Amino acid sequence: MKKLHLYIIICILTLSGCTKFLDIKPKDKFIPATVADYENMLNSGTIVNFGDYFWDLLSDDAFLPEGEPGNLYTKQQLWGRQIYTFNSSPYEQGANDFLWSEGYKRIFYYNSIINNIMEATEGSEANKKSVRAEAYLGRAMEHLQLVNVYAHHYDAATAASEPGIPIATIADINAKFVRNTVKEVYDQILSDANAAIADLPLKNKLTKFRAGKAGGFALLARAYLFMGDYVNAKKNADSALSLQSELANMNDYNIIIPGPFPNVPGAPLGWTDIPDGQLNPETIVARHFLRPFGLGMDVCASPELSALFTDDDKRWTLYYADGWPPAPPFNYMSRYGVKLFLRGDYYSNYLNVPEMYLIRAECLARDNKLRDALADVNKLRLNRITPAAYEVFAPEDFGNDAERVLRFVLEERRRELAFTGMRVIDLKRLNKETRFQKTIRHTAEGIEYELLPGSDKYLRQLWPTATAFNPDWPLNP
């Protein structure tokens, strides 16, 4: 059995002589040997993080006011400002692109488990397979995120030739990694997800940071939706919801007093008593952004996103605020007609029940099963809209027009999943359809920037520190 050290780090953080993808800390670190050792890797602080909240700054959901006081554009770090202005190379040589470096770091944790746990000691065969299954799921999620940030969106006609990302399936620093095609990456994702489902436990172990079988189906539903395979997306959303379908009624949540420190939102979620990701009944598998509250207090909903909400929507009143700290003088609503995103502390940006209802609703709408599609949206809205304002929608409300129903479903998806890392992927996939194509405009320092449908600017450039050691990788345009 190859024994790899538990603490794996990116080569930029290690010796200057590193010439490979990753490096390993010195040999005095703990070497996993037992099943418990490997399982504890799934409980580590590294594994509970996922994604990159900066990515949402690329989307049409984001608005960074520049007026003083409360300038949110200059508040952003340099790479945040560059992403907001559609610079596809926001990270210069020497800067750390955490989505890439931390994403592959987690993949190498998962690979260490996958490659070695079946030879570990002091554990049953069933438990070994269960732990390995969670690692398969984690590896699939990381590859799915990475390929959607650094490559063009999946298109069956071009995926076999479009550059994707390096697929990492072994925890060997001496291995040579290539930039695989988009199709190869998706094939690996589907393979890993199916391998996970075979051995995942029915219920999450200990905490929702650990995965259960519903998580495997949820991942497949998301991947197939991104691929435009709506039959399989619905099938897997059905399977996920058959195992976990509970929605929390947001009418039961309330705004509470601010936290104990100045300018810090109250725990556990902003000014509300909404439970955090690992305790939320809607969470299927929980993760946090590296900055646990993501873009909370750092971005406003764009005028376009703001217009999709009403004050009868609990997401609008609980996840957003007129300003922070208490509105004056940071009252974005009175100054710009928008609200500050304040979703707050430690929410989950990974896999959840509302997303499954929305995936299924979209697939049903595309299949012209309009009443069934609206039934899923109605169920979600019943748990989001105040009772006095709630209404049940039927196809007749949309003139039995399938496209109007689909657009309504997509608007609901946008409201529900704002600032969770999903909107840019949705823009990329919907831009494949002429009817949904849109140009995004952001203004900063008096300059208007445009992001055209299908633009190469949607592709983040590969992390310069990684490409410096791998000059044969083709770069994005």
Side-chain angles (χ1 to χ4, degrees), residues 153 221 224-237 359-360 362-364 366-367 406 429-430 432-433 435-436:
H153 195 76
Y224 279 121
L225 181 78
F226 293 171
M227 296 172 71
D229 184 343
Y230 303 114
V231 171
N232 277 312
K234 178 186 176 297
K235 174 184 174 183
N236 283 282
I359 287 175
R360 187 167 70 179
E362 180 177 341
C363 295
L364 288 165
R366 289 179 179 276
D367 194 29
L406 177 57
R429 70 183 179 90
L430 292 172
K432 293 287 183 181
E433 302 177 60
R435 58 181 170 164
F436 293 128

Side-chain angles (χ1 to χ4, degrees), residues 137 197 200-204 208 212-224 231-247 281-285 351-360 376 379:
L137 179 67
I197 288 170
L200 281 170
L202 277 177
K203 300 292 183 181
N204 310 66
K208 287 192 175 181
K213 200 174 290 287
F217 290 119
L219 172 57
L220 281 176
R222 180 185 288 185
Y224 279 121
V231 171
N232 277 312
K234 178 186 176 297
K235 174 184 174 183
N236 283 282
D238 282 338
S239 295
L241 290 169
S242 73
L243 296 172
Q244 185 177 342
S245 59
E246 180 183 358
L247 289 169
E282 295 184 344
T283 299
I284 296 177
V285 185
L351 296 168
N352 58 67
V353 172
E355 182 190 356
M356 294 303 105
Y357 280 112
L358 291 164
I359 287 175
R360 187 167 70 179
D376 277 342
K379 184 171 184 177

Side-chain angles (χ1 to χ4, degrees), residues 299-317:
V299 69
C300 284
S302 67
E304 183 180 299
L305 176 61
S306 298
L308 293 178
F309 287 102
T310 68
D311 288 338
D312 298 313
D313 192 322
K314 298 295 285 187
R315 293 167 296 196
W316 189 231
T317 57

Side-chain angles (χ1 to χ4, degrees), residues 80 201 259 278 409 436 467 471:
Q278 64 172 316
V409 171
F436 293 128
T467 59

Side-chain angles (χ1 to χ4, degrees), residues 38 310 340 424:
Y38 286 105
T310 68
L340 178 70
V424 177

Side-chain angles (χ1 to χ4, degrees), residues 312-452:
D312 298 313
D313 192 322
K314 298 295 285 187
R315 293 167 296 196
W316 189 231
T317 57
L318 294 175
Y319 291 158
Y320 301 83
D322 287 353
W324 176 255
F330 298 90
N331 195 318
Y332 298 104
M333 176 55 72
S334 64
R335 294 163 68 190
Y336 306 102
V338 301
K339 285 190 176 186
L340 178 70
F341 179 61
L342 191 66
R343 189 161 184 174
D345 212 8
Y346 291 98
Y347 70 92
S348 178
N349 63 324
Y350 208 57
L351 296 168
N352 58 67
V353 172
E355 182 190 356
M356 294 303 105
Y357 280 112
L358 291 164
I359 287 175
R360 187 167 70 179
E362 180 177 341
C363 295
L364 288 165
R366 289 179 179 276
D367 194 29
N368 207 35
K369 296 177 179 176
L370 307 186
R371 202 168 300 277
D372 290 340
L374 289 171
D376 277 342
V377 175
N378 286 331
K379 184 171 184 177
L380 177 61
R381 289 178 62 83
L382 178 64
N383 292 278
R384 299 295 187 263
I385 307 301
T386 59
Y390 175 73
E391 57 181 311
V392 176
F393 289 98
E396 294 79 13
D397 296 313
F398 303 90
N400 292 302
D401 186 323
E403 181 164 335
R404 288 180 62 193
V405 172
L406 177 57
R407 287 182 180 275
F408 179 66
V409 171
L410 292 172
E411 285 180 357
E412 194 63 34
R413 178 180 173 88
R414 187 175 176 186
R415 281 186 283 264
E416 181 69 24
L417 302 180
F419 301 114
T420 62
M422 298 296 290
R423 182 58 183 167
V424 177
I425 302 176
D426 282 348
L427 287 166
K428 289 174 70 176
R429 70 183 179 90
L430 292 172
N431 277 333
K432 293 287 183 181
E433 302 177 60
T434 303
R435 58 181 170 164
F436 293 128
Q437 289 179 348
K438 68 182 301 185
T439 297
I440 302 172
R441 294 177 176 86
H442 288 168
T443 300
E445 298 179 323
I447 301 172
E448 183 177 80
Y449 298 85
E450 286 191 341
L451 182 60
L452 301 176

Side-chain angles (χ1 to χ4, degrees), residues 140-251:
M141 277 294 293
E142 295 294 344
H143 279 128
L144 183 61
Q145 171 85 343
L146 289 162
V147 75
N148 278 287
V149 174
Y150 298 98
H152 277 295
H153 195 76
Y154 183 93
D155 185 324
T158 60
S161 57
E162 285 276 9
I165 56 166
I167 296 173
T169 58
I170 55 175
D172 181 356
I173 62 169
N174 295 311
K176 177 65 176 175
F177 295 92
V178 300
R179 189 174 182 187
N180 297 91
T181 66
V182 171
K183 182 179 185 304
E184 288 170 335
V185 177
Y186 269 87
D187 287 347
Q188 185 66 51
I189 291 163
L190 298 180
S191 175
D192 281 351
N194 281 298
I197 288 170
D199 294 310
L200 281 170
L202 277 177
K203 300 292 183 181
N204 310 66
K205 294 181 182 178
L206 303 176
T207 169
K208 287 192 175 181
F209 289 128
R210 302 290 299 279
K213 200 174 290 287
F217 290 119
L219 172 57
L220 281 176
R222 180 185 288 185
Y224 279 121
L225 181 78
F226 293 171
M227 296 172 71
D229 184 343
Y230 303 114
V231 171
N232 277 312
K234 178 186 176 297
K235 174 184 174 183
N236 283 282
D238 282 338
S239 295
L241 290 169
S242 73
L243 296 172
Q244 185 177 342
S245 59
E246 180 183 358
L247 289 169
N249 193 331
M250 291 186 65
N251 288 290

